[in-house]
Amino acid sequence: MTAVTAPRVAGGRWASQVLGEAGIGVALAALVAFFLAFAPYFGTSQNVRDIMTQITINTILAVGMTFVILVGGIDLSVGSVIALCAVVAGTAMTDSGLPTALAVPFAILISVLIGAATGFVNGFVTERWVVPSFIVTLGMLYVARGAAQQYTGAATIYNLPPGLTRFGTATFAGLPAVFVVAMLLVAVAWFVLSRTVFGRLIYATGNNEEAVRLSGHRTSLIKVACFVIGGACVGIAAIIYMARLGVASPILGQGYELNAIAAVVIGGASLAGGRGSVIGTLLGACLLGVLSNGLNLMGVSDFQRTMVTGAVIIVAVVLDAYRRRLSVRLS
């Protein structure tokens, strides 16, 4: 019985993933074609680099969110945690007394550790007391935001090391350096999810947690690990934010969690867990970035861009329902 059922499940997931990535790829290509025709300067090399830079932070956050969503969780705290990571790391750079060559790596380590620690708390509380991650991370949203404001007295930190801000505007092989960092993170996440036992356990936990538990694996550890990975990605995103803008503010990141979730969902992941891919997430982040940039070049207001983005998310969810039905038939 198992030998017959397992291939059908794997085939169904594979078909769904391929259909999802192909579908979002076609949608992205159509959107690019539309803006090339109707948005002035959209196809210029400078604007392409601008889009790459603009999607960097959301891509990094969305990669971490992919791990969380694959195990059936959600993290609403990432926008506040990025602010907490930024202000603590920013202070470490400016007030630690260390030379710049040591202060920046130290701050990067601090930022990643704080992000990972908040992720651990989110995952541990969720699993230890069987509380919905929605509620736990909503609480962490307020805790982290308040902690960031308390830490700096609600003040913005300026005068970050010039080397960090130069990296924020640097290019590598013609690409923005911050975008290259995001792509390296995507590559690592893809390898973990598609080429390692841990990655397979993540998908299996999202699909059938009880079966994974009965096979001898501690699903609680897998889920907590995914929250830790998500938090570490937030810490990396905080450093990229400071590199780009040259400041660390306790009010930054508002709404970032929704953008990250949107990228993952548009990329074909299921909020119920067990289905999705980091490539789909990348395409989802690209689609949101291209949409925002193109509408801005066409003179569409911020309010209208927000409405259009929301409509795109709704359409993506509806199309995903049809895609799931098709993948079931193909399997």
Side-chain angles (χ1 to χ4, degrees):
M1 188 70 175
T2 303
V4 174
T5 304
R8 288 180 60 84
V9 173
R13 193 185 75 183
W14 178 85
S16 176
Q17 182 171 313
V18 171
L19 286 171
E21 293 175 0
I24 189 63
V26 170
L28 178 59
L31 198 61
V32 168
F34 174 81
F35 286 132
L36 283 173
F38 297 103
Y41 310 111
F42 179 81
T44 62
S45 58
Q46 181 58 52
N47 189 60
V48 172
R49 286 192 293 270
D50 288 344
I51 293 175
M52 291 179 179
T53 302
Q54 290 162 7
I55 69 172
T56 296
I57 293 177
N58 192 37
T59 298
I60 295 173
L61 294 177
V63 166
M65 189 70 73
T66 301
F67 281 84
V68 175
I69 288 178
L70 282 175
V71 293
I74 199 79
D75 190 349
L76 299 179
S77 67
V78 298
S80 296
V81 173
I82 193 175
L84 178 60
C85 292
V87 296
V88 176
T91 302
M93 291 183 197
T94 57
D95 298 336
S96 65
L98 295 172
T100 301
L102 296 177
V104 173
F106 176 68
I108 293 173
L109 178 62
I110 289 295
S111 182
V112 173
L113 288 177
I114 290 175
T118 58
F120 174 80
V121 172
N122 287 334
F124 179 78
V125 173
T126 297
E127 291 303 302
R128 177 63 179 81
W129 287 280
V130 197
V131 182
S133 57
F134 176 90
I135 302 299
V136 176
T137 58
L138 180 62
M140 182 60 75
L141 180 152
Y142 289 104
V143 171
R145 182 68 66 187
Q149 294 173 328
Q150 176 68 32
Y151 189 79
T152 64
T156 299
I157 299 173
Y158 299 95
N159 301 318
L160 297 179
L164 180 70
T165 53
R166 281 198 299 270
F167 178 78
T169 57
T171 59
F172 179 80
L175 302 175
V178 292
F179 179 75
V180 173
V181 172
M183 292 303 99
L184 289 174
L185 192 61
V186 168
V188 171
W190 173 85
F191 179 82
V192 170
L193 289 175
S194 63
R195 294 292 184 269
T196 67
V197 174
F198 178 60
R200 296 187 185 97
L201 287 174
I202 290 175
Y203 279 105
T205 300
N207 276 311
N208 193 332
E209 182 176 350
E210 183 64 13
V212 176
R213 187 184 67 80
L214 291 175
S215 68
H217 299 283
R218 296 184 62 181
T219 57
S220 59
L221 293 181
I222 296 171
K223 296 171 83 171
V224 171
C226 287
F227 275 97
V228 171
I229 292 171
C233 288
V234 175
I236 296 172
I239 298 298
I240 297 299
Y241 179 95
M242 291 188 289
R244 280 189 55 201
L245 300 184
V247 298
S249 170
I251 63 171
L252 74 88
Q254 295 180 3
Y256 280 24
E257 62 277 352
L258 300 181
N259 291 334
I261 294 170
V264 179
V265 172
I266 290 175
S270 169
L271 291 176
R275 183 166 55 82
S277 73
V278 72
I279 299 301
T281 294
L282 172 61
L283 293 174
C286 289
L287 189 146
L288 289 174
V290 167
L291 181 65
S292 176
N293 179 272
L295 291 176
N296 182 55
L297 291 177
M298 292 178 67
V300 178
S301 69
D302 290 341
F303 303 125
Q304 291 171 326
R305 290 205 305 271
T306 302
M307 293 169 60
V308 172
T309 301
V312 168
I313 295 172
I314 294 173
V315 171
V317 172
V318 172
L319 292 177
D320 182 60
Y322 285 103
R323 189 185 69 213
R324 285 200 305 271
R325 296 175 188 174
L326 180 58
S327 67
V328 169
R329 293 174 185 173
L330 292 176
S331 63

